[in-house]
Amino acid sequence: MTNLFGASGATGKLFDAFSGAATSLSGPLPDPSTDAGWSTEHPKRVGFFTDTSVCIGCKACEVACKEWNLVPDDGTDASDLYRLTGMSYDNTGDLGASTWRHVAFIEDVRPHGSATAAHGGPPSGVPVDAATGFLPTGLPAVTDGAPSSPTLRAPRDAATAPAPGETVDLLALLPDSGAHGQQTPDDERDVRWLMSSDVCKHCTHAGCLDVCPTGALFRTEFGTVVVQDDICNGCGYCVPSCPYGVIDVREDDGGAHKCTLCYDRLGAGMEPACAKACPTNSIQFGDLDELQAAADARLAELHGRGVTEARLYGRDPDDGVGGDGAFFLLLDEPEVYGMPPDPIVTTRDLPEMWRNAALTAVGLGAAVVAAFWGGRK
Amino acid sequence: MTDANPAEMPQRSRVDHDAVTPRRGSRRRGRGEELQVPEAEFRSYYGRPIIKAPVWKNPDVPLYLFLGGLAATSSGLGALGGATDRPTLRRTGRLAAAAGAAGGTVFLIHDLHRPARFLHMLRVFKPTSPLSVGTWILSPFATLAAATAASEVTGLFRRAGDASGAVAAVIGPALGTYTAVLFSNTAVPTWHEAHRELPIVFAGSAAAAGGGMGLVGASVRDNVPAARLAVAGAVVELAAGEFMERKLGLLGDVYQKGRAHTLMRASKACLAAGAVGAVLGRRRRWSAALSGLALMAGSALTRFGVFDAGIASANDPAHIVVPQRERIRQRQATTGTEVAPPDRTFA
Ligand code: SF4
Ligand code: SF4
Ligand code: SF4
């Protein structure tokens, strides 16, 4: 049972930390559960594939997560009566102790027709969408009253679609906001919306788990990373050690909290609440290897349709965290969605840090001894 | 943790929106001024922080680092002071080691958001967690230092007191440097990228603090080792700190502005003044004590400065995006592969 509390995983890593053999601190790791001390009989590693190209920003995932896991009010900006961030339709802001799913909403406003030119121009041979100036994406602009892809729907009512060749001005559909001042429909700006439901990545090499001094954070038999609330003493070390800024300490109960990938539901053979609630299948739950295959196929499909900006994030087992258990298909650079472009688990460098600190400690001891050199004067 | 001052959000996003409300604004004093990076150099999600800033409490954690460093070198001065017939240095060292360790432990426990569960730290030993290792260093050290001090004060069990003092002195240096790993082993860019220099800065800081305490407490007859250690520590701390700030490059900007800048400047002034004072004024009781106080203040200010710099760094999306983009660029240059799709690459 020790493995339930991360203890045997820690012992397993004892050798690595001091020998400098970094195999379990970074790099690809096919089976993190066994590495953490589970018997090889454990269930397959599960995860999320969040395909943001079909997300409609409905936030059903946020709500379902809150309801199932009894996550309290996130207390965002108590100074603000309506708790509006004032930056977009995203009034949640970021992941935190009481926000385990966060739907990012990016309103990309650019001068009309400049969308692609301003970003280095379209790759040769890829047609630029005449209506928006954007490259075609998973959310294609409507130019003829019908979505350009049968499987995807445009984000607005077909009744408002313009006649062929006419410019789409989504700004006209937006409410006036202080941030932008008075808006009148014009031909000068293009708007693109990106939506993405962010979540704990359940990293193969999880910084939060590695640094937790109590063993409250542990690797489950499903390969996910979970906090045991009755063990956590609120030391807060996990918080700055997550390269994605996911886990946080809740002010009122002092404990660290984050997505559990619905550990309780998994145990009962159910899928996580967010995936269950998502109406577009943007959040897909399943065995990680199957999700990875599905994601690769989806990426190839989008690229084949000219959506060259589609990319997978967290899919690569060779990346700085050994790949994510929850990974994404994005339509722009990760930092646009608030995610680090090239995260590395902090403990990758820990063996070197321990060596440096040990050497420095020896030097400090020698300095104390040397201060007594020559006896008394 | 809720926001206190939305106006301080750095406005550096490529996405053209203005009102941005950081959730951890209260700990971000002094940010949000001049753009260090030209706007087009990075993109972000409405300029919001990407990683979470430490929720460690201020002044608890910086004071814990300072007191730990003070205790670390004081234990050595106490033990060797006893062995070389310097009774006032022995006494000062032993008492400072015990007080520093006890005070540090109090701050460490108070820093927990669930202090009653401090002992949960001792249910595992995890080399991958510097906080776990540190707890296992601090606990025996504090116990031994307390026993030594008790023997010193009561005059009982002198032999045992000498022995426990000697063991504490051997553990001491680890207590003085592990805290650098504690900070470096986070995703906070300014701390993590300084993982080679930070132990040296902290070791110098520990020597300046312990030596400074020795100058305050020991007689003129006994204070030579304390003065030497303090001056050496101050010099190392000043040099290594300067080197660290330069080597950090872009990530060093947090030391150039805001409260971290003020703290580091004050720290340098105190260390320099204290070191000069220790060299020139060691032979007079009052000037030795004054120099010692300045050195201790310098050491403490460094800890506060490094702490603040880390908070500012964690809250700055540029510190995450720009170096990571550069890493990707270099990787692509070496492997000759295009990772990012061409349409969104930025100059
Ligand atoms: S390091 Fe962050 S993203 Fe990875 S498992 Fe921990 S909380 Fe989740
Ligand atoms: S806050 Fe809790 S979960 Fe996080 S590192 Fe500390 S003990 Fe572990
Ligand atoms: S991921 Fe699904 S549930 Fe969440 S906002 Fe997008 S479409 Fe809605």
Side-chain angles (χ1 to χ4, degrees), chain A residues 207-218 226-229 231-239 241 247-249 254-257, chain B residues 55-56 112-114 117 120-121 126 129 131:
Chain A
C208 63
L209 190 161
D210 284 345
V211 305
C212 175
T214 63
L217 274 153
F218 77 112
V226 175
V227 193
Q228 299 168 99
D229 189 46
I231 303 292
C232 171
N233 67 7
C235 74
Y237 202 4
C238 50
V239 175
S241 302
I247 194 166
D248 203 356
V249 166
H257 301 273
Chain B
V55 291
W56 290 332
L112 300 179
H113 289 80
R114 292 170 168 174
R117 293 187 180 176
H120 286 199
M121 295 270 198
K126 269 175 89 169
S129 170
L131 191 50

Side-chain angles (χ1 to χ4, degrees), chain A:
Chain A
M1 282 308 276
T2 46
N3 46 13
L4 262 186
F5 303 100
S8 69
T11 338
K13 282 172 182 174
L14 174 69
F15 179 73
D16 295 322
F18 287 111
S19 68
T23 41
S24 74
L25 290 177
S26 62
L29 179 67
D31 186 356
S33 294
T34 301
D35 184 60
W38 291 94
S39 83
T40 44
E41 315 278 273
H42 66 77
K44 280 178 84 178
R45 184 176 182 190
V46 297
F48 284 129
F49 167 46
T50 306
D51 178 355
T52 72
S53 69
V54 294
C55 175
I56 55 172
C58 67
K59 294 184 186 246
C61 47
E62 272 192 46
V63 175
C65 174
K66 283 239 176 203
E67 290 200 335
W68 178 263
N69 294 297
L70 301 173
V71 180
D73 178 1
D74 56 12
T76 318
D77 304 332
S79 58
D80 181 344
L81 186 57
Y82 297 105
R83 298 192 174 162
L84 302 177
T85 58
M87 59 189 196
S88 75
Y89 291 124
D90 173 13
N91 289 311
T92 305
D94 53 7
L95 291 171
S98 303
T99 306
W100 299 354
R101 269 274 174 194
H102 162 238
V103 181
F105 185 105
I106 297 116
E107 191 170 278
D108 201 358
V109 184
R110 297 173 184 175
H112 179 56
S114 71
T116 50
H119 299 95
S124 53
V126 175
V128 173
D129 192 307
T132 64
F134 290 110
L135 289 167
T137 69
L139 291 175
V142 177
T143 50
D144 56 3
S148 60
S149 150
T151 55
L152 301 171
R153 218 156 279 155
R156 57 200 186 87
D157 194 332
T160 60
E166 203 179 297
T167 303
V168 178
D169 191 346
L170 292 176
L171 268 186
L173 303 172
L174 304 179
D176 290 345
S177 79
H180 291 107
Q182 183 74 21
Q183 298 283 351
T184 46
D186 61 38
D187 290 345
E188 294 182 355
R189 306 229 254 177
D190 294 323
V191 177
R192 177 177 72 148
W193 285 350
L194 298 173
M195 286 151 273
S196 163
S197 181
D198 198 5
V199 72
C200 167
K201 316 299 179 291
H202 296 278
C203 312
T204 302
H205 298 287
C208 63
L209 190 161
D210 284 345
V211 305
C212 175
T214 63
L217 274 153
F218 77 112
R219 176 83 54 188
T220 71
E221 65 272 37
F222 301 102
T224 57
V225 179
V226 175
V227 193
Q228 299 168 99
D229 189 46
D230 52 345
I231 303 292
C232 171
N233 67 7
C235 74
Y237 202 4
C238 50
V239 175
S241 302
C242 168
Y244 299 95
V246 171
I247 194 166
D248 203 356
V249 166
R250 206 177 275 162
E251 292 243 309
D252 53 1
D253 73 1
H257 301 273
K258 71 170 189 71
C259 160
T260 67
L261 220 138
C262 286
Y263 192 33
D264 51 348
R265 293 173 65 98
L266 295 192
M270 297 195 289
E271 66 175 325
C274 56
K276 182 99 189 154
C278 177
T280 64
N281 222 12
S282 171
I283 299 176
Q284 296 166 32
F285 165 80
D287 291 341
L288 190 58
D289 50 359
E290 284 170 23
L291 290 177
Q292 288 169 340
D296 293 343
R298 172 70 178 154
L299 183 72
E301 181 202 340
L302 285 175
H303 281 177
R305 280 176 21 201
V307 188
T308 53
E309 68 269 42
R311 76 212 57 202
L312 297 179
Y313 176 76
R315 156 76 177 84
D316 182 4
D318 289 316
D319 71 11
V321 297
D324 291 328
F327 64 103
F328 300 79
L329 185 146
L330 303 177
L331 295 174
D332 206 331
E333 290 172 336
E335 56 264 40
V336 171
Y337 298 88
M339 302 199 267
D342 187 34
I344 290 182
V345 60
T346 181
T347 33
R348 185 197 66 176
D349 301 324
L350 188 59
E352 187 197 343
M353 289 186 216
W354 279 134
R355 270 195 297 273
N356 288 345
L359 281 176
T360 316
V362 170
L364 182 59
V368 176
V369 174
F372 285 83
W373 194 260
R376 98 171 11 275
K377 272 189 222 152

